[in-house]
Amino acid sequence: MMKTGTDGNMTESNTSQSNDSSSQTSRREYIQGAAAAGTIGITGLAGCLDVLQVDSEDEWSLGTSSEGSSSFQIGSTWTEYMDSEDLLDTEIEPIVTEGTGASYRRLDQGEFEISGTTTQLLEDSPDEGDFEDEPLEDFDSIRQVRGYMAFYNFGVYNAEEVSGWDDLEDRPIAISSAGSGTRSPVEWLVDQEIGMDNIDNRYMAFADIPAALRDGTVDAAFTWTVNEDDPTGWLQEIDETVDWEPLEFSDSTIQSLDEDLAYSTYHELDEETVGEFSDNWSDPVDSFTLTYLYVVKEDADPDLVYDIAEMTHEHGEDLLDQNGAMDFFPDPDMFLGTLHPDVPFHQGAYEYYQNAGFWDDYDLTPPPEEQ
C-alpha cells in the first residue's frame, strides 16, 4: 500500500499488497500460458488500425491524454527533455488523445509505440469493464515500463444545491471525460455508494466541469490531486468559484478499496495536505489512488526501452526541476512500487531495474522469458 511521508510524497509500495493472491496467480498464469502457446499477435477487429513496425532509429509516438491534462504535461516534459539533452537515440513525440484509456486501446491496436495507461485498466484487460464489449486485441504482449504519476481522486458537491450522497439520487454527476482512465474507478466508487443506475451520470471535458458545477448543470463531480498535493487547474477553479464540500466514503467502500482492489487503495488527504491546494476547505478529504504508467508491446526495441527506463530515472531530479508533477521520476518506490503486480515488464525495462538493484524490492512480474 502507498504511504505518505513528511514531504507529502508516496514513499512505500505496494498498492497491491491487499490483493487477493488467487487473482494475482490467475493473471500471471494467463499471461505466461498465452506466451508459451505462441498466441502473441493482433487478432484484428473491424475498423482497427494495422500494427506499426517502427525501428528504434525512427520516431516513436507516445499516447498521452487530452491537451492540458497531467498525462499530456508529464509526457511532454520528459520527451522534450530527452530530446533537448540528446539522451535517447530515438525522438519520442507526445500525442494528444481522447484520454488515457483511449491511448491504451490505440497502443493495443498498434497506433502508438508507447502509451500511458492505469493500473485499473490493466486489471480490466483484456475483456472486463471498459473492454467487455470490445476486448483488447493483443493484451498478452502488453508490457509495463514505469509509473509516471498517481491521482488522489475524490468527489465534490455544490453545497448550495445538495448535501452529500443522500441528495444525489437521480441528480447529475460529472463522472469524468469519456476516454479518461479515471472513468472506471469513479464509476466503481459511485456504484458502491449510491449505484450508477441511480444517478444522472455525465461525461464531459474536465475543463467544463467547474462551470457546470457553478450553473447547476451538475450537482457533483470527481476531481483529483496529482501525487497527493498538486491540484489540477480546474480543481483550483472549483475551489475559487464553487461552495464545495467533499463526498465522504462509507466504511464498506474504504474496506473494499483496501482489501478487494489490486489497483487502488484508500487514502485520507489530511488537513495540512488539503490546505496546500484549497482555500475553502480545510478538513480531511477521502480519496482513492490511481497509478498511471507507461506500457509498450513485447516486440518494442529492448535497447530503447532500457534507455527510457534508465534515463527517466537517472535524470528524474532534473525532470522534477522542470515540472513539479514529476515526483514519480526519481523515486523507485513510486514508479515501481505502485504498479500492477501481475502484468509482465518489458525485457529492456526489467534488465535496467535488475542492473540498478531495484527489482527484488518489489512484488512485480518479470517478462515471460525470464520466468
Side-chain angles (χ1 to χ4, degrees):
M1 292 173 61
M2 297 182 190
K3 296 183 180 178
T4 51
T6 56
D7 60 355
N9 291 331
M10 290 174 292
T11 59
E12 183 174 332
S13 63
N14 196 317
T15 54
S16 61
Q17 292 305 304
S18 60
N19 185 34
D20 185 338
S21 61
S22 64
S23 173
Q24 295 186 27
T25 301
S26 62
R27 181 165 291 271
R28 285 180 170 146
E29 289 176 348
Y30 166 82
I31 295 167
Q32 293 169 23
T39 59
I40 295 173
I42 296 289
T43 59
L45 292 175
C48 292
L49 298 170
D50 293 331
V51 176
L52 298 177
Q53 298 296 333
V54 179
D55 295 330
S56 62
E57 64 269 14
D58 295 329
E59 181 178 85
W60 271 24
S61 294
L62 165 65
T64 61
S65 185
S66 57
E67 189 169 7
S69 68
S70 301
S71 285
F72 179 75
Q73 292 178 33
I74 290 172
S76 298
T77 297
W78 73 263
T79 56
E80 290 172 6
Y81 181 85
M82 296 295 133
D83 185 45
S84 67
E85 299 296 318
D86 197 24
L87 296 174
L88 300 175
D89 291 336
T90 298
E91 181 180 353
I92 301 177
E93 180 184 5
I95 305 296
V96 173
T97 70
E98 304 87 340
T100 310
S103 299
Y104 178 41
R105 185 176 287 280
R106 291 170 66 179
L107 172 84
D108 171 68
Q109 295 171 353
E111 187 172 351
F112 301 137
E113 290 71 52
I114 182 170
S115 170
T117 187
T118 72
T119 48
Q120 189 276 330
L121 290 173
L122 292 181
E123 179 71 12
D124 276 353
S125 301
D127 57 4
E128 298 180 6
D130 286 349
F131 310 116
E132 183 176 4
D133 294 332
E134 188 179 348
L136 292 179
E137 301 172 4
D138 198 23
F139 172 65
D140 46 325
S141 76
I142 295 293
R143 300 291 184 264
Q144 297 188 92
V145 177
R146 61 160 296 141
Y148 63 88
M149 69 174 176
F151 283 178
Y152 289 73
N153 300 271
F154 57 94
V156 300
Y157 61 89
N158 186 337
E160 295 181 357
E161 301 294 333
V162 294
S163 58
W165 291 112
D166 291 342
D167 284 348
L168 288 174
E169 187 170 349
D170 298 324
R171 306 283 289 194
I173 300 178
I175 298 295
S176 76
S177 70
S180 171
T182 63
R183 174 178 175 172
S184 291
V186 168
E187 289 176 338
W188 177 88
L189 187 132
V190 172
D191 222 23
Q192 294 287 308
E193 295 291 353
I194 193 173
M196 283 292 293
D197 292 339
N198 296 322
I199 66 164
D200 177 10
N201 55 305
R202 305 288 181 89
Y203 302 99
M204 60 179 62
F206 296 124
D208 295 337
I209 290 176
L213 276 170
R214 289 195 299 271
D215 66 20
T217 300
V218 298
D219 293 318
F222 281 83
T223 183
W224 64 83
T225 57
V226 179
N227 302 337
E228 191 173 23
D229 59 4
D230 185 13
T232 62
W234 56 281
L235 172 54
Q236 291 175 307
E237 183 180 348
I238 291 172
D239 188 57
E240 293 169 359
T241 64
V242 179
D243 180 16
W244 70 273
E245 294 186 13
L247 287 166
E248 296 183 358
F249 297 175
S250 66
D251 291 342
S252 60
T253 291
I254 292 172
Q255 183 175 358
S256 289
L257 282 165
D258 284 342
E259 296 180 0
D260 300 335
L261 300 186
Y263 64 85
S264 182
T265 190
Y266 170 76
H267 182 82
E268 182 183 79
L269 301 172
D270 61 26
E271 295 178 7
E272 181 178 356
T273 300
V274 174
E276 292 290 326
F277 65 81
S278 176
D279 292 329
N280 295 317
W281 185 263
S282 58
D283 291 335
V285 171
D286 290 335
S287 77
F288 63 94
T289 61
L290 180 65
T291 296
Y292 285 67
L293 65 145
Y294 291 125
V295 288
V296 296
K297 290 291 192 73
E298 178 196 34
D299 61 357
D301 178 53
D303 292 334
L304 179 55
V305 176
Y306 185 105
D307 289 345
I308 291 171
E310 179 181 32
M311 293 303 170
T312 54
H313 168 238
E314 293 191 353
H315 292 266
E317 293 293 346
D318 296 328
L319 291 169
L320 184 56
D321 289 339
Q322 298 274 321
N323 187 321
M326 311 294 285
D327 304 69
F328 261 49
F329 280 72
D331 187 350
D333 281 345
M334 300 174 85
F335 67 73
L336 288 180
T338 65
L339 298 189
H340 200 293
D342 307 320
V343 176
F345 271 68
H346 188 273
Q347 183 70 32
Y350 169 75
E351 289 179 0
Y352 171 67
Y353 300 134
Q354 283 272 18
N355 292 342
F358 300 148
W359 183 261
D360 292 338
D361 293 336
Y362 307 100
D363 177 26
L364 299 168
T365 300
E369 53 268 33
E370 298 290 336
Q371 299 175 31

